Amino acid sequence: MKTLNVDLGNRSYPIHIGSQLIQKLDIIAPHIHGHQVMIVSNTTVAPLYLEALKNTLADDFQVAEVILPDGEAYKTLDHVNTIFDALLEQRFNRTCTLIALGGGVIGDMTGFAAASYQRGVNFIQVPTTLLSQVDSSVGGKTGVNHPLGKNMIGAFWQPQLVLADTDTLQTLPDRELAAGIAEVIKYGLIRDPEFFSWLESNVTPLKQKEASALKEAIYRSCQNKADVVAQDELEGGIRATLNLGHTFGHAIETEQGYGNWLHGEAVATGLLMATDLSYREGWISAEDNQRTKQLLQAFDLPVVPPENMSAKTFISHMLVDKKVLDGNLRLVLLNSLGSACVTSSFSKENLQQTLTAGKKLGIF
Ligand code: NAD
Ligand code: GLY
């Protein structure tokens, strides 16, 4: 097992990455503060891993569960309310602990429920997708979608522990694995060019789910994320760079209907749109733009926005983005491969080109 620490003073917590962690009471129990434990999962993940987690905890804690429907379309306030119903019906008190067992959708909703149940209770992340192990389980962003905007309702609320059991990735569909890789590539682009090169050399072992390659990718991703979160927990500055490609990606997810494009797929296309605009601004080379496209495509990720999205549609969604300041669109762009900035200093013409180039040419 490898361990990292998210350094947030008295709210610091460990990220454990390794095999058979769900079975290890001694590493989970110290982070459960009361006696009552509510495991939140979904109809796909529960049949695979709920029993194992319950068996680990059952002798020492009062363990209950709430199983939500599976999918981004269910990441709503209504379904967070289902968690509150279960907690109240079973008289869970303020010392209870919520455990999120699933991907980013379950993690974000459970975290939000934990942030607001009785004004805040403990929670633990047990992420079971690559995306959630490398990104969403770390850093305390929790919340739900609104029909008008992705992740628009939420709170910052840090977990007590992140337990990334890499064995769970063996049951993950290939399309979901690729979606997680999009967020992994993001770290290389924004702050770790060496990691980007490592990814270029490790496409096959990662696609074949080789344990050591996956562990390395998760470890280095979490290292990058923990470092950024420790510097800027509430996203006053540098943390926004973790959103490279997301302003474009969220527009795609919202317009296409939540769940039709996977979050990671929309981010992949958004990453290339961000590098394309950075290239048009003259900040990165044609070669680095090309390398990004090739790496995304090597993992079978989409790089062309949906046919039905005009520049106008993109812009109308992008103006709902959380980075918009006084009505001005701000984007995360690259100064070079491995260095990102948040800026509104890009030309409208270049943005227009980026929003339409993929569609016109079929590729960037
Ligand atoms: P997801 O939670 O929908 O999981 C993807 C699919 O895989 C689901 O069908 C799920 O049931 C299934 N699944 C999960 N684990 C499995 C396993 N081990 N074996 C087989 N199937 C499994 O999607 P995701 O990609 O994990 O997360 C995407 C969500 O995360 C989005 O809502 C996004 O907004 C959010 N997100 C949040 C943050 C953050 O900082 N909080 C960061 C990035 C993304
Ligand atoms: N996924 C972006 C963040 O956690 O800040």
Side-chain angles (χ1 to χ4, degrees):
M1 178 177 92
K2 284 180 135 187
T3 299
L4 286 158
N5 191 47
V6 184
D7 198 356
L8 292 169
N10 61 5
R11 287 171 299 102
S12 298
Y13 53 93
I15 306 168
H16 296 310
I17 301 160
S19 178
Q20 295 197 330
L21 300 190
I22 284 177
Q23 285 84 351
K24 294 205 165 81
L25 179 66
D26 57 326
I27 61 169
I28 307 174
H31 303 278
I32 298 178
H33 295 172
H35 187 63
Q36 297 174 310
V37 174
M38 178 68 75
I39 303 175
V40 182
S41 192
N42 73 21
T43 48
T44 303
V45 180
L48 296 169
Y49 304 110
L50 179 63
E51 221 38 54
L53 184 57
K54 278 171 76 176
N55 286 342
T56 304
L57 301 174
D59 288 346
D60 295 63
F61 301 97
Q62 174 198 331
V63 185
E65 71 216 35
V66 53
I67 309 301
L68 301 175
D70 181 10
E72 186 75 39
Y74 302 102
K75 189 176 154 182
T76 61
L77 274 179
D78 268 359
H79 289 90
V80 170
N81 213 29
T82 306
I83 304 175
F84 295 146
D85 290 345
L87 290 165
L88 286 165
E89 278 160 15
Q90 294 173 62
R91 304 208 186 295
F92 270 56
N93 59 47
R94 292 183 81 184
T95 61
C96 71
T97 298
L98 271 54
I99 301 186
L101 175 69
V105 168
I106 287 296
D108 281 11
M109 282 200 287
T110 307
F112 189 45
S116 35
Y117 184 64
Q118 300 198 12
R119 301 201 180 90
V121 296
N122 295 321
F123 94 109
I124 288 175
Q125 290 272 17
V126 183
T128 61
T129 61
L130 181 63
L131 187 140
S132 55
Q133 295 189 355
V134 300
D135 191 351
S136 63
S137 63
V138 177
K141 277 190 182 175
T142 73
V144 295
N145 300 326
H146 185 279
L148 295 180
K150 173 88 183 139
N151 293 338
M152 278 294 147
I153 318 295
F156 285 99
W157 191 249
Q158 301 293 343
Q160 264 64 50
L161 164 72
V162 177
L163 194 78
D165 188 328
T166 49
D167 295 345
T168 60
L169 300 181
Q170 293 307 322
T171 54
L172 193 66
D174 290 346
R175 187 177 166 201
E176 298 290 351
L177 188 87
I181 290 283
E183 301 277 16
V184 175
I185 293 172
K186 171 190 80 180
Y187 295 114
L189 287 169
I190 61 171
R191 69 195 309 271
D192 196 344
E194 228 177 71
F195 185 37
F196 189 90
S197 304
W198 181 87
L199 290 167
E200 289 178 313
S201 310
N202 283 276
V203 171
T204 306
L206 286 168
K207 284 176 91 169
Q208 290 175 348
K209 294 187 181 169
E210 276 182 22
S212 63
L214 283 175
K215 268 180 209 158
E216 179 67 9
I218 296 163
Y219 184 80
R220 291 184 72 162
S221 298
C222 287
Q223 213 170 25
N224 276 297
K225 178 134 190 195
D227 192 26
V228 172
V229 169
Q231 289 178 56
D232 179 23
E233 181 186 6
L234 302 181
E235 202 166 305
I238 190 182
R239 183 164 182 173
T241 61
L242 293 173
N243 279 320
L244 182 75
H246 284 57
T247 307
F248 300 108
H250 286 167
I252 295 173
E253 284 186 270
T254 308
E255 178 63 23
Q256 298 309 304
Y258 297 125
N260 290 320
W261 276 54
L262 300 182
H263 174 71
E265 292 173 339
V267 165
T269 299
L271 289 176
L272 195 64
M273 296 176 87
T275 59
D276 180 76
L277 181 52
S278 308
Y279 163 63
R280 288 176 196 278
E281 290 292 320
W283 299 343
I284 69 166
S285 65
E287 189 200 339
D288 285 343
N289 196 25
Q290 195 63 14
R291 277 174 74 193
T292 307
K293 184 177 116 194
Q294 281 168 354
L295 187 56
L296 293 165
Q297 288 185 318
F299 285 105
D300 308 315
L301 284 162
V303 292
V304 180
E307 267 293 309
N308 63 352
M309 280 185 75
S310 64
K312 202 170 155 206
T313 315
F314 260 108
I315 296 284
S316 84
H317 286 298
M318 288 163 76
L319 284 170
V320 183
D321 188 78
K322 293 194 263 331
K323 286 181 293 302
V324 168
L325 200 61
D326 301 329
N328 278 326
L329 188 57
R330 295 187 309 147
L331 291 171
V332 184
L333 296 177
L334 297 185
N335 306 306
S336 62
L337 198 154
S339 168
C341 61
V342 184
T343 180
S344 53
S345 301
F346 46 82
S347 88
K348 281 193 177 147
E349 292 70 33
N350 282 341
L351 176 60
Q352 184 75 18
Q353 289 290 319
T354 290
L355 294 176
T356 52
K359 251 177 56 175
K360 271 194 213 132
L361 305 174
I363 51 162
F364 281 106

